[in-house]
Amino acid sequence: AGFASGEACFYIKITKSSKSTQGSNIQLIFQLTQHTRDEILMRSLIDYLNSGNVFKNQDTYVFEVTKFSDLNDKIIPFFKEYPILGSKYNDFLDFVKVAELIKNKTHLTKEGLEQIKLIKNGMNRGRK
């Protein structure tokens, strides 16, 4: 959880989709980034959390979880038990709100999609 306070991102990705009833696809992404010297640590997170993947991005390694069931059943409970400190905690709470909307299939409605867009726009750098 300490790493996440400084080096993690709770991200909501909205893409256009002709297969979706609302014309958009919603994906939740959790990422944690560290310098390449910490590759072993980053890869150990896969075993520790029993989820995610690690990839190299320039001079960093990124641990990423995109599978909804892993986010809902492993990542969110982990951060509920070991809360993040600082302003990133608010991003986590928004991430959890969107996960609930997805779990309840609300994201498949026009109203739900608009609610997710509002939440997304207020997260991370958009937070005031």
Side-chain angles (χ1 to χ4, degrees):
F3 281 119
S5 291
E7 303 297 331
C9 179
F10 295 96
Y11 182 66
I12 300 165
K13 183 176 180 180
I14 302 174
T15 54
K16 292 196 182 291
S17 171
S18 59
K19 296 178 183 178
S20 169
T21 57
Q22 293 304 314
S24 295
N25 185 46
I26 310 294
Q27 182 180 27
L28 298 180
I29 302 169
F30 171 73
Q31 289 185 337
L32 181 64
T33 306
Q34 290 290 297
H35 191 273
T36 53
R37 67 179 166 261
D38 294 318
E39 177 183 5
I40 294 169
L41 169 67
M42 298 303 284
R43 293 195 184 282
S44 73
L45 292 173
I46 295 170
D47 292 331
Y48 182 76
L49 294 167
N50 194 27
S51 66
N53 295 297
V54 172
F55 62 90
K56 189 172 185 204
N57 183 13
Q58 297 177 342
D59 62 345
T60 64
Y61 275 96
V62 179
F63 170 74
E64 180 177 81
V65 181
T66 58
K67 186 176 178 185
F68 183 78
S69 60
D70 286 347
L71 291 164
N72 193 58
D73 300 339
K74 298 171 186 176
I75 301 301
I76 290 172
F78 176 85
F79 287 111
K80 284 184 175 181
E81 185 172 349
Y82 305 103
I84 295 172
L85 302 176
S87 62
K88 197 160 291 186
Y89 181 68
N90 292 322
D91 292 330
F92 169 71
L93 293 177
D94 285 341
F95 191 82
V96 171
K97 284 179 196 172
V98 173
E100 284 297 316
L101 292 170
I102 292 171
K103 192 166 45 171
N104 296 328
K105 307 278 189 222
T106 307
H107 69 296
L108 299 175
T109 67
K110 182 178 178 182
E111 297 78 16
L113 179 60
E114 290 305 314
Q115 188 176 1
I116 289 170
K117 287 179 179 178
L118 283 173
I119 293 169
K120 175 185 168 45
N121 290 338
M123 289 177 67
N124 301 310
R125 293 187 177 139
R127 189 168 302 283
K128 294 181 181 180

